[in-house]
């Protein structure tokens, strides 16, 4: 009787718990990404506002030094704390994604068809997330970054060529290149 229950597959409560855990991990990973975006946006807003205010303060000689003495250390400390928290959220996100990859590996073991039906990326992630495959993970990461940069630079080059072909105007007729001052 016990052998028959093993062949029938995992129990419904176990599968419910695993699916719930998968969902919770996906939600937590999404939260870390949202937090990272919010923190980086907040820091960039503070930095750009401080630099713009510093530019305005530089027009008044007596105001520049006190303003810079107050604003620059504040922005620096905010940047240090932001960087530290972004590293923490990145580590949390990797931990969540690694756990999700383990759950997907379990799903794959439940049904042999799952290995052939498009879970290759999850399997690769699980393979690369383990400690023993760090060189392979770095190689894949570097190749992916190089391919992404190459694609970006090709796209950028094609856009520049298109601008040159249309004589500084886009297809809609708006001027892309800056106008030259004709008064001189």
């Amino acid at each position: 009787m016990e052998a028959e229950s093993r062949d029938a597959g995992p129990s419904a409560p176990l599968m419910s718990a695993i699916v719930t855990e998968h969902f919770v991990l996906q939600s937590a990973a999404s939260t870390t990404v949202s937090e990272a975006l919010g923190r980086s946006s907040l820091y960039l807003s503070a930095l750009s506002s401080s630099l713009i205010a510093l530019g305005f303060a530089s027009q008044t000689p007596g105001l520049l030094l006190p303003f810079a003495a107050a604003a620059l250390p504040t922005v620096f400390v905010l940047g240090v704390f932001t960087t530290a928290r972004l590293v923490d959220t990145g580590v949390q996100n990797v931990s969540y994604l690694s756990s999700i990859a383990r759950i997907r590996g379990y799903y794959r073991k439940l049904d042999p068809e799952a290995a052939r039906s498009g879970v290759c990326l999850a399997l690769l992630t699980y393979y690369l997330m383990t400690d023993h495959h760090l060189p392979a993970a770095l190689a894949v990461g570097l190749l992916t970054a190089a391919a992404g940069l190459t694609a970006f630079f090709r796209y950028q080059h094609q856009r520049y060529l298109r601008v040159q072909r249309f004589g500084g105007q886009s297809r809609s007729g708006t001027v892309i290149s800056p106008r030259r001052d004709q008064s001189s």
Side-chain angles (χ1 to χ4, degrees):
M1 184 82 163
E2 192 173 309
E4 290 176 8
S5 66
R6 282 189 209 152
D7 293 338
S11 66
L14 174 65
M15 285 306 295
S16 177
I18 290 174
V19 169
T20 302
E21 182 68 16
H22 190 177
F23 175 73
V24 168
L25 288 169
Q26 284 180 328
S27 298
S30 174
T31 302
T32 60
V33 171
S34 297
E35 181 185 350
L37 289 174
R39 285 184 184 276
S40 59
S41 295
L42 179 69
Y43 176 69
L44 289 176
S45 296
L47 177 65
S48 63
S49 298
S50 296
L51 292 177
I52 289 171
L54 191 63
F56 285 130
S58 68
Q59 295 174 356
T60 307
L63 185 61
L64 178 63
L65 187 60
F67 181 79
L72 294 180
T74 304
V75 171
F76 177 76
V77 169
L78 182 63
V80 168
F81 289 148
T82 300
T83 303
R85 186 60 190 147
L86 287 177
V87 168
D88 289 344
T89 58
V91 169
Q92 285 177 342
N93 194 25
V94 167
S95 172
Y96 296 146
L97 294 178
S98 178
S99 298
I100 289 171
R102 279 196 305 273
I103 290 173
R104 287 182 178 169
Y106 177 73
Y107 290 158
R108 188 188 83 252
K109 290 177 185 175
L110 291 177
D111 187 6
E113 283 294 314
R116 289 180 251 144
S117 65
V119 291
C120 295
L121 185 59
L123 296 176
L124 179 64
T125 303
Y126 176 70
Y127 176 78
L128 295 178
M129 289 292 196
T130 58
D131 293 335
H132 305 294
H133 302 98
L134 183 61
L138 291 175
V140 168
L142 288 174
L143 288 174
T144 303
L149 280 174
T150 302
F152 170 73
F153 288 139
R154 284 188 179 173
Y155 171 76
Q156 185 179 20
H157 182 69
Q158 289 173 354
R159 291 291 292 161
Y160 283 131
L161 290 178
R162 185 175 299 152
V163 168
Q164 288 176 351
R165 195 173 341 148
F166 287 111
Q169 293 185 353
S170 68
R171 291 182 186 170
S172 64
T174 58
V175 176
I176 296 175
S177 61
R179 293 185 301 182
R180 296 185 184 170
D181 190 16
Q182 296 178 3
S183 62
S184 51

